[in-house]
Amino acid sequence: MSYTVNENCIGCGVCAGICPDVFEMGEDGYSHVIAEPEDDETRELAEQAKESCPVAAIEGD
């Protein structure tokens, strides 16, 4: 699965807290995808981060 963070991001950091292997907070104060999940555990955490985003800024196909 491929993830992106859209312009709705408010920089709350929930995604990076849940799945730091995929998401990190950038110097701009917003979340960025740093890697794609490579195993089932990381995919599950990335999905949890997506579902936990308060503004639905994480998209994945």
Side-chain angles (χ1 to χ4, degrees):
M1 175 158 302
S2 177
Y3 292 93
T4 59
V5 178
N6 68 33
E7 67 280 351
N8 293 337
C9 181
I10 58 172
C12 71
V14 169
C15 58
I18 293 172
C19 189
D21 291 338
V22 175
F23 304 99
E24 77 174 3
M25 301 307 294
E27 289 183 16
D28 60 359
Y30 297 105
S31 177
H32 298 274
V33 175
I34 56 169
E36 295 301 328
E38 295 185 10
D39 56 53
D40 289 340
E41 181 180 348
T42 305
R43 273 189 277 285
E44 287 178 24
L45 289 172
E47 276 299 304
Q48 183 180 351
K50 177 183 171 185
E51 292 170 8
S52 298
C53 179
V55 294
I58 300 171
E59 299 174 4
D61 57 358

